[in-house]
Amino acid sequence: MTKIDIFSGFLGAGKTTLIKKLIKEGYKGEKLVLIENEFGEIAIDGGFLKDAGIEITEMNSGCICCTLVGDFTKALKQVIEQYNPDRVIIEPSGVGKLSDVAKAVEKVEGVEIGAKVTLVDAGKCRMYMRNFGEFFNDQVRNADIIVMSRTDVASESKIMTAAELLKKENPNASLITTPWDKLDGAKIRAAMDEKGLEKNLEELKHEHEHHHDDECCCHDHEHEHHHHDDECCCHDHEHEHHHDHDGDCCCHDHEHHHHHADEVFTSFGAETPKKFTEQELAEALDELLDEGKYGLILRAKGFLDSSDGDWLYFDYVPGEKNIRRGEADVTGRLCVIGSKINENALKELFGLE
């Protein structure tokens, strides 16, 4: 019986980072196969994980939970027959519904779901829950264990609020709130093996008013003049209540509808030999906050050649960017995911025209 672990999580939650940590520290001695599903035309994460020494199967033409369910089931059977792994790790697209991925896995004979893990960015939990609930809440509700990311940089109040919202949405899931660098991967793996284990959240008890029931998700009173606060992806306050029926507002509630990911989210991917300085790349990523020009950008990642001879690997979520040096690849690649993306503006921004 092959064990299947599923690592779900909304865009930019840190799935790849956690998987790499677990491969190094938590899955020692096991024969592993990783199945990834990128939402978009250009594969990025596979390049980050090749050095882990495991087989990688990438599917890029759609999302497991919608257009690839049939192909995914077939691919999973082939992987098991060809490699006979002890365990298969599935990393669905960040906009995938965990419930649909689990159903697809359950159709395969001779496998058993070990753990359904959902990663949640502590600083963006409330915003994603309210703005993209159909996808985000499905990932939370169907998890055995919820691992909060970026608790080392998020404020205590945001961590507490996120923990309360997550436990309300899924009271039976284990909840890990400790920063990952303070935990050995074996401890996270142990928690995964004890599905449904209740964690002690006494340290997260209320020290402030936390429900915010009177707040609009499009209006953060603490930062009402800063349109790019990471709690809010809606920047047009003047018209925020006039788009409920046409879907033009990013706060459109998808919770009571049944959308495929490709009906709500779009992606832009490209390969390029263009060289960037680190400053040029940083400035381009900062530009992505301009929703009126580029669309609502929720995630960007990739690797690009640098003018100084190194390569620049980058990750972006609203209000946060990370640029690091890495090894050369065959060509530069980037992928941008969001809603109502302006491809022409992105091509101009990254010098692709």
Side-chain angles (χ1 to χ4, degrees), residues 89-154:
I89 301 169
I90 297 176
E91 182 186 357
S93 162
V95 294
K97 294 181 181 179
L98 179 54
S99 61
D100 287 344
V101 177
K103 288 176 184 176
V105 172
E106 290 168 354
K107 293 179 181 179
V108 179
E109 295 182 2
V111 304
E112 175 187 359
I113 295 180
K116 292 175 289 183
V117 183
T118 292
L119 280 74
V120 173
D121 185 326
K124 294 179 171 59
C125 173
R126 182 162 63 97
M127 183 266 282
Y128 287 155
M129 187 172 283
R130 293 189 177 188
N131 295 342
F132 300 102
E134 179 181 356
F135 301 91
F136 183 89
N137 292 350
D138 181 275
Q139 295 175 359
V140 172
R141 289 193 201 109
N142 291 280
D144 302 313
I145 181 168
I146 299 171
V147 182
M148 292 172 63
S149 62
R150 298 188 174 88
T151 55
D152 56 335
V153 294

Side-chain angles (χ1 to χ4, degrees), residues 40 42 50 69 72 75 82 85 102 145 217 268 288 294 301 304:
I42 301 294
K50 286 176 183 175
V69 170
F72 167 74
Q82 182 174 350
I145 181 168
C217 69
F268 168 77
L288 295 177
Y294 301 105
K301 54 187 174 179
L304 299 166

Side-chain angles (χ1 to χ4, degrees), residues 141-192:
R141 289 193 201 109
N142 291 280
D144 302 313
I145 181 168
I146 299 171
V147 182
M148 292 172 63
S149 62
R150 298 188 174 88
T151 55
D152 56 335
V153 294
S155 66
E156 182 181 3
S157 63
K158 286 186 177 181
I159 295 171
M160 290 168 60
T161 297
E164 292 157 6
L165 290 170
L166 294 169
K167 293 302 288 186
K168 183 177 180 180
E169 194 70 30
N170 186 346
N172 297 318
S174 304
L175 183 62
I176 292 179
T177 61
T178 302
W180 301 352
D181 60 357
K182 295 183 179 179
L183 288 175
D184 187 275
K187 285 191 175 182
I188 300 175
R189 171 71 186 280
M192 290 168 54

Side-chain angles (χ1 to χ4, degrees), residues 291-306:
E291 183 181 340
K293 186 173 183 179
Y294 301 105
L296 174 59
I297 306 302
L298 296 169
R299 184 81 167 102
K301 54 187 174 179
F303 38 87
L304 299 166
D305 197 355
S306 172

